[in-house]
Amino acid sequence: MDFYQSQETLTIMEWVLRSVVAFFFLVIVAKVLGQRTISQLRLLDFVIALVIGNIVAHPLSDQHLGLQGSIVSTIVLVALYSLGIQLNLKWPGFRRFINHKSITVVENGEILNEGLKKARISIDVLLEELREDKVDDVKKVALAIWEADGKLSVFLYPEYEPLTPASLKLKTEPFDFPRTIIMEGRVLSEVLRQLHKEESWVISRLESLYQTEIQHVLLATLDGKDQLKVFLYH
């Protein structure tokens, strides 16, 4: 495993092997860290992602550096990160220290300039975030809070909230999420068993409703009312 150690020169194959090992090692690290690190870059998450990326990148561009030091350092950092997460969950004081506070930036239809300064965002950014939430007028906003993860939570005045069946006191049907039974020309047998359906039933429905076969189906879903929706390859 010469590619693993520091070398004066590395062959093309050794560079490839070093990159492959580093890639799969980072995949394992990301799996250990969990989805939270990927989806929400809070302070602790940002620091660990930045440092690990920097540590692992160096041996991929410098043959004089071995992978061993990077891997050991990354394992230590992951352990420290896991410890930090546990402290964050158990110690309110540490949680207050490590996490940003939520900041009110709009209240009763008025923009709070002091809140914008604390959140370090401009009015342009605020308006952009409101547009992404389909809000065209700040005056419609009862409360807007800049959250610790850099997202804006918006609460409109009741008269500007979208109508819902509950507000109109309408009776609704129970929630029913369609299940995927065919994906990329392959039947998901386990899902069919959960739905108490046979593959022959699916084949028959495809033939009668869409005049097609399973291998031509990109995606097919089935809901609680046995309504089959099919998306064919094009």
Side-chain angles (χ1 to χ4, degrees):
M1 294 182 64
D2 292 338
F3 72 92
Y4 186 77
Q5 307 294 335
S6 61
Q7 301 290 329
E8 286 299 323
T9 59
L10 291 175
T11 65
I12 292 178
M13 183 55 64
E14 287 173 332
W15 278 115
V16 170
L17 289 173
R18 181 174 283 199
S19 299
V20 169
V21 170
F23 173 78
F24 283 105
F25 176 66
L26 281 178
V27 170
I28 294 172
V29 169
K31 187 71 174 178
V32 172
L33 293 178
Q35 188 174 355
R36 179 174 177 267
T37 312
I38 300 171
S39 62
Q40 296 183 20
L41 284 180
R42 294 178 182 248
L43 179 61
L44 198 61
D45 306 326
F46 176 77
V47 169
I48 195 71
L50 186 66
V51 174
I52 287 179
N54 192 40
I55 288 175
V56 177
H58 283 170
L60 299 182
S61 58
D62 188 348
Q63 65 268 25
H64 297 100
L65 297 175
L67 275 176
Q68 181 177 0
S70 292
I71 290 177
V72 171
S73 298
T74 302
I75 291 173
V76 172
L77 286 171
V78 171
L80 291 174
Y81 174 81
S82 300
L83 176 61
I85 294 298
Q86 293 301 316
L87 292 176
N88 194 39
L89 294 174
K90 295 180 179 180
W91 287 6
F94 182 81
R95 184 163 57 247
R96 287 192 296 270
F97 170 75
I98 205 69
N99 292 329
H100 295 290
K101 291 182 179 180
S102 299
I103 302 170
T104 300
V105 293
V106 178
E107 189 171 15
N108 297 326
E110 298 294 334
I111 298 175
L112 305 181
N113 189 51
E114 192 64 29
L116 293 180
K117 290 181 180 179
K118 289 181 180 179
R120 298 180 182 178
I121 60 173
S122 65
I123 292 180
D124 288 338
V125 172
L126 172 63
L127 295 178
E128 179 183 341
E129 294 287 334
L130 290 175
R131 288 195 299 270
E132 290 181 357
D133 281 329
K134 305 296 187 297
V135 179
D136 61 348
D137 188 353
V138 178
K139 292 295 184 182
K140 297 179 180 179
V141 179
L143 185 67
I145 300 174
W146 190 257
E147 303 291 0
D149 60 355
K151 296 180 181 178
L152 186 68
S153 298
V154 180
F155 303 90
L156 301 178
Y157 283 108
E159 59 265 31
Y160 297 115
E161 290 283 359
L163 290 176
T164 64
S167 62
L168 298 175
K169 297 181 179 180
L170 297 177
K171 185 178 180 180
T172 58
E173 295 182 357
F175 175 75
D176 181 22
F177 187 77
R179 303 287 300 276
T180 299
I181 59 173
I182 301 177
M183 183 179 293
E184 297 177 340
R186 184 174 63 87
V187 175
L188 304 184
S189 302
E190 180 62 27
V191 178
L192 276 184
R193 281 195 293 270
Q194 293 173 3
L195 296 174
H196 307 292
K197 298 294 183 184
E198 300 290 338
E199 186 171 332
S200 57
W201 180 88
V202 177
I203 295 173
S204 175
R205 293 296 296 272
L206 286 176
E207 177 62 31
S208 61
L209 297 177
Y210 297 94
Q211 293 77 52
T212 190
E213 298 177 348
I214 291 175
Q215 60 265 31
H216 302 309
V217 176
L218 176 63
L219 177 70
T221 63
L222 186 68
D223 63 19
K225 295 181 179 179
D226 286 350
Q227 291 180 335
L228 183 66
K229 291 184 179 180
V230 173
F231 302 85
L232 301 175
Y233 279 104
H234 289 290

